[in-house]
Amino acid sequence: MKRTDTSNPDYFHQVVDCQWACPAHTDVPEYIRLIAQGRFTDAYMVNRESNVFPGILGRVCDRPCEPACRRGRTGQKPVAICRLKRVAADHRGDIEDRMPVIPPKNGKKVALIGAGCASLTVCNDLVPMGYECTVFEALEEPGGLMRSNIPSFRLPHEVLNDEIDRIVDMGVDLRLGTRVDSMQALLDEGFDAVFVGSGAPKGKELNLPGRQEADDNIHIGIEWLESVAFGHIENIGERVLIIGVGNTAMDCCRTSLRLGANEVKVMARKPRDFFKASDWELEDAEEENVEIVINHSPKAFVVEDGKLTGMTFEVMEYDIEDGRITGQRVVGEEFIPCDDVVLAIGQDNAFPWIERDLGIEFDKWDVPVVDEKTHQSTRDGVFFGGDAAFGPKNIIWAVEHGHQAAISIHLHCQGEALDDRIPVHLNLGSRKMGMHEWSYSNSFDPAARRKMEHVPLAQRFRELSTEVELGFDADQVAVEVERCLNCDIQTVFTDDLCIECDACLDICPTECLTIVPDAEEPALIASLRAPRLEPDQPLYVSGELKQTGRVMVKDENLCVHCGLCAERCPTAAWDMQKSLLKFPRAADHEPTAEPLKKTG
Amino acid sequence: MTFIAKPRIDLPSDRLNDIGLRRRDYEGVLSTLCAGCGHDSITAAIVQAFWEMSIAPEKVAKLSGIGCSSKTPAYFISGAHGFNSVHGRMPSVATGAMAGNRDMVAIAVSGDGDSLSIGFGQFGHVVRRNLNLLYIIENNGVYGLTKGQFSASADVGSRAKKGAENRWQNIDPVATAISLGGSFVARGFSGDRDQLVPLIKAGVRHRGCAVIDVVSPCVTFNDHEGSTKSYAYTREHKHEAVKLDFVPPAEEISAQFDPGEAKAVTLHDGSRVMLRRTEDSYDPSDRSRALQYLETARSRGEVVTGLMYMNEDLPEMHDLFGTTARPLTDIPYEELSPGSEALRKLQAKMR
Ligand SMILES: Cc1cc2nc3c(=O)[nH]c(=O)nc-3n(C[C@H](O)[C@H](O)[C@H](O)COP(=O)(O)OP(=O)(O)OC[C@H]3O[C@@H](n4cnc5c(N)ncnc54)[C@H](O)[C@@H]3O)c2cc1C
Ligand SMILES: Cc1ncc(C[n+]2csc(CCOP(=O)(O)OP(=O)(O)O)c2C)c(N)n1
Ligand code: SF4
Ligand code: SF4
Ligand code: SF4
Ligand SMILES: [Mg+2]
């Protein structure tokens, strides 16, 4: 097999499973180590550099990093990456003096539509470079869905305000209560660039018999949550049905409980394995005694005397093979009484305010055509990001879109090619301190994942804004940080140093190393000492070894980064080196920016 | 050495052997040997062989003398019995142990100093008595534990780390064991596990004294240029005369063995060793040819490896003594020691 090219930053990046899975590539192991040292402010800043909203995301991030976490492949639950992020945010000190100094304006003007996390990230990157950023927001408060839809019992207002204000206070020209009704008119104002961060604001309808007659008691989830958030709705009937089983449904059912409902059912068309909601959101809802009813497909709203009395459902049966539905049939019908229904079956983006003759192309689903890398639309200087770009995703994706769009906006304003972007930069530095000392906590800690404490049920529903999760206490933090395997402390191999003594193979607790005669990939895989369980995980193949011409092969999937191979190796052929990845931001594209350099 | 013990991580890929144990269950405590020592590699080969053979740890007796090599029984099969004895005197202790309980699987680990210098006499006698055990000599050409003085297996002309040349004739444990009437004599190399593991398995299942001389580089005192027991030298001069594959009793002999080339020898427990010659007409059942072959190879500067000699028909110590088939440890004390009256009767018979 070909010798692995580890000079490509992607190679070692991929080994850091959480960072690879995080859309904004947050340096998770680094901030976890800082938390372990009690350096909460530093840990917060490492987060902020990538994900901009650590306090918010430490509570409500979709956390794609956790299912990817290496710890999950050691027969345990993943590291509580998200909760640790909250620890950094909750315990950090003042960061005022770490914020960038805002320079005089550079004369370039950027208009941003919507004050959601995508637009705010663009401002975060561009205002400190001298750009004049004007944000138009239809609502009276900034934050987008983070404020209008994510309930305050999951995301307290103080946290939200703090992190949003920090960006606005850099000098953003924020125009609240200002809906943009015409793109044409906005373009006529002569901005150098326009960023569309207007989200996916249209909740999906369910047009079944009785829909119009019962309109008073049928609510569209995201609109209803918004009304609750801004205090326009303060109660709901006792018996509530939530249609749909995604994350919005989870917020709707839990919010209902806080507005007076006492019998809440979430109605799912399919069996549990096909739910869209994250496991933890489902668990949290079920802990509050929400009933999740499966295999019920909505058929009609039942109205008596002009008032909603319930809904009828078709009871479904499915054939499932290999985790896929291969057949389905209706096996019955059921009436379920209720006072209110909340529809939480998805959102779409909608752009009635963008004229279709501006050179901004829309595809056949009426979604704008946007370049995935540069975020530019088909019209020069008009960019899209967040839910507005490729449909509803989540906050962390919107943030990454913001970073990338900011680079594009900068390049556009400076008259440079949008794809002339600085590549990701990799630094490697040995973590060897002495004979048997490494500057990271390399011993494998078998502790199980710590459990987050919640406010008792009895207290929880008294006030809408009572935050349910209590955060980790000091003891929990101390254990949880040690569960991180430090995947960024890489095993780096130097071919010509190896004397093929097998010491590393024997000490490796997961048998992830093998020395074999070189062969084509399938044969090499067949000869690995431990079977290769995850074909998507990389193999690290050395060049020919000096004494026998065989090769060293490492299956990255199994490595727990314990460093024992390096510690055992008599010749230091294996070394533990930290991979530090630098993801360029808009500011790094300034001609005056310091070039990314080696730090070790 | 390392200071962090190898952690136990239960992985989905972990496999169990026939008695439900993981390979990890055959490991021992954290090795204190120098990182990269050949002895650790042999330990790993022993772990693999015993795990694959599904030998119950409590049926194993580990015996050793003194030396880095003799420390290694602590690093494998923690659940086994063990006796780390006196320098060069392990064979006596082993003889006592096996006399007492002939049902144990005995594995003796010794060094070239332990067996060929101070313990040469004991080594010779345990071989000629054909005590039923696996006798591994972890051969690094030096006294590792006492900082690298030449041992009796150091080749003439080989150089110590600081340049001193060895002028004493060397003792080859393989030639010695064959000429002393050994019933199973082999040589391996710590850096060639594919060869060593089947040798260990065959040695365990062979009834009698199975001597395996394993060239095992000492990374600290004998892995330099001028050494004839280094990784590099051994890899360059190693020559496998007979390739051995071990086939457990219940298993079919697979088609990979060409009957014209491979010769099957059945051991007492029904397992078989498949011997494949890599060299003209080498025959590991012919003692004089084996000795002649070793001598020729020596003069050519080759390190011959593989199963050099085997004779399944030689009687082992218990056969020669005519002792009871029951392990003495299973016999009630009154029966073992019937008292002074019985002794008097016996003596009377002999008068
Ligand atoms: C109920 C619910 C719960 C969610 N929970 C989570 C969660 O726990 N974790 C997570 O990561 N994600 C969650 N999400 C998804 C997440 O909120 C969004 O993906 C994210 O907010 C998208 O950010 P954005 O900046 O693209 O747009 P948005 O946050 O939608 O912001 C768009 C803003 O633009 C404004 N706007 C729209 N049109 C105009 C216009 N014409 N003129 C002026 N202003 C305009 C809107 O008022 C809004 O403030 C949830 C979504 C919902 C609906
Ligand atoms: C009776 C006695 N004499 C001498 C010693 C000192 N001594 C300890 S180990 C050793 C040599 C061991 O050499 P070897 O068996 O080759 O083991 P190695 O350390 O090389 O593996 C000697 C001479 C001793 N412990 N006891
Ligand atoms: S173990 Fe730590 S570094 Fe590795 S994937 Fe999990 S959180 Fe990230
Ligand atoms: S760091 Fe080395 S010894 Fe530890 S699991 Fe990874 S490869 Fe194995
Ligand atoms: S421990 Fe070092 S020298 Fe020995 S095989 Fe491993 S990499 Fe090679
Ligand atoms: Mg020795």
Side-chain angles (χ1 to χ4, degrees), chain A residues 15-19 28-30 32-33 65-66 68-73 78-81 481 483-488 561:
Chain A
V15 172
V16 195
D17 298 278
C18 50
Q19 194 179 14
V28 176
E30 178 68 13
I32 293 183
R33 280 191 298 270
C65 53
E66 292 195 12
C69 172
R70 181 173 298 269
R71 188 82 191 193
R73 301 199 294 273
V79 174
I81 301 173
V481 288
R483 297 185 69 240
C484 173
L485 299 170
N486 302 287
C487 301
D488 62 334
H561 297 257

Side-chain angles (χ1 to χ4, degrees), chain B residues 39 66-69 87 111-114 118 140 142-146:
Chain B
H39 298 354
I66 295 293
C68 297
S69 35
H87 202 16
D112 42 327
D114 196 58
I118 191 170
N140 53 16
V142 288
Y143 301 159
L145 192 68
T146 55

Side-chain angles (χ1 to χ4, degrees), chain A residues 358-372:
Chain A
L358 301 174
I360 302 173
E361 252 177 62
F362 285 76
D363 66 14
K364 57 180 174 210
W365 296 283
D366 215 24
V367 172
V369 178
V370 177
D371 185 285
E372 286 198 22

Side-chain angles (χ1 to χ4, degrees), chain B residues 127-148:
Chain B
V127 169
R128 59 178 276 279
R129 283 190 195 125
N130 206 19
L131 181 69
N132 184 17
L133 88 172
L134 170 65
Y135 193 129
I136 293 180
I137 301 175
E138 303 191 342
N139 190 345
N140 53 16
V142 288
Y143 301 159
L145 192 68
T146 55
K147 305 271 174 283

Side-chain angles (χ1 to χ4, degrees), chain A residues 440 489 491 504 507-513 554 558-566 574 576, chain B residues 9:
Chain A
Y440 73 107
I489 313 291
T491 55
C504 52
I507 199 71
C508 176
T510 63
E511 292 178 17
C512 67
L513 304 176
K554 179 182 178 220
L558 296 169
C559 175
V560 294
H561 297 257
C562 62
L564 287 179
C565 50
W574 282 116
M576 301 308 292
Chain B
I9 303 171

